[in-house]
Amino acid sequence: MDDPRRALEHVLQALDNVAARAERPAARLLAVSKTKPAEAIRALAAAGQRAFGENYVREALAKQAALADLALEWHLIGHLQTNKAREAAGHFDWVQSVDRLRLVDALARHRPAALPPLQVLVQVNVDDEAGKSGCAPAEVDGLAAAIVAAPTLRLRGLMAITEPFPDLARRRDSFRRLRALFEALRATHPQVDTLSMGMSEDFELAAEEGATMVRVGSALFGARTP
Ligand SMILES: *Cc1c(COP(=O)(O)O)cnc(C)c1O
């Protein structure tokens, strides 16, 4: 997108429209800036966007250093290796890709006591895709209990990357199953308030189905060239 400010306005307007129809607050926008330079983030921040998502710890750290003069909120959304947990715990506000107990333990141990608790989402592999990150739906409760027990972590909800079915009815079904998991989690843990689902292709559909946060990259920053 040549004009990130217009792209941002367009996405925010779409989220407002869904919210008005559904009579709910608008979903929060996470701008996914992986592979994009720090200057692109700065341009979007100047237009009012505050929360940014990155997939790789090293790439994010370089951009954070270049943008240290801005008060931004950083979310890690990519698969996190346990041996990178220390760096992630020290440099992000949120980690959305928590999908196993060893990672919960490592993040809890390495979150510096001087920082506020790390905001954590449990990533669910809701479409049971082989080889994909995310825990099985049946594992959510155990992970949530471990996160709640850690004083340096705060459980905020669920994240999922749904399968990009060409058939929109099937996508909607994935979002509905996530919403049901989210409501079940919230019944046990009332502090849970975040359901992160939907990307550039389907964020409006996700918001219709109850996403409280959508993660949008290419619709804001333009296509990623590998
Ligand atoms: C890249 C990415 C996104 C954004 O994808 P777009 O299709 O560019 O909007 C969202 N979530 C995760 C986990 C990603 O890796």
Side-chain angles (χ1 to χ4, degrees), residues 146-179:
I147 293 162
V148 167
T152 54
L153 306 180
R154 182 155 300 149
L155 177 68
R156 296 295 294 270
L158 298 179
M159 183 273 255
I161 306 169
T162 54
E163 192 167 344
F165 297 114
D167 175 4
L168 288 188
R170 292 192 70 186
R171 288 201 202 193
R172 195 182 284 281
D173 180 64
S174 303
F175 293 141
R176 288 195 173 158
R177 280 181 283 117
L178 276 164
R179 172 79 181 273

Side-chain angles (χ1 to χ4, degrees), residues 119-206:
Q119 311 297 305
V120 168
L121 300 182
V122 173
Q123 183 180 353
V124 193
N125 182 357
V126 73
D127 292 314
D128 195 21
E129 290 178 272
K132 283 280 182 77
S133 299
C135 70
E139 295 171 321
V140 168
D141 284 348
L143 286 168
I147 293 162
V148 167
T152 54
L153 306 180
R154 182 155 300 149
L155 177 68
R156 296 295 294 270
L158 298 179
M159 183 273 255
I161 306 169
T162 54
E163 192 167 344
F165 297 114
D167 175 4
L168 288 188
R170 292 192 70 186
R171 288 201 202 193
R172 195 182 284 281
D173 180 64
S174 303
F175 293 141
R176 288 195 173 158
R177 280 181 283 117
L178 276 164
R179 172 79 181 273
L181 282 173
F182 174 68
E183 298 299 346
L185 183 66
R186 189 149 67 167
T188 346
H189 303 286
Q191 77 275 29
V192 157
D193 61 2
T194 304
L195 177 57
S196 169
M197 62 184 189
M199 320 203 303
S200 291
E201 291 261 292
D202 52 18
F203 71 88
E204 288 169 277
L205 192 63

Side-chain angles (χ1 to χ4, degrees), residues 32 34 55 77 159 161 199-201 215-219 224:
V32 175
K34 63 172 176 240
N55 288 57
I77 60 174
M159 183 273 255
I161 306 169
M199 320 203 303
S200 291
E201 291 261 292
R215 308 180 309 271
V216 177
S218 43
R224 286 178 296 274

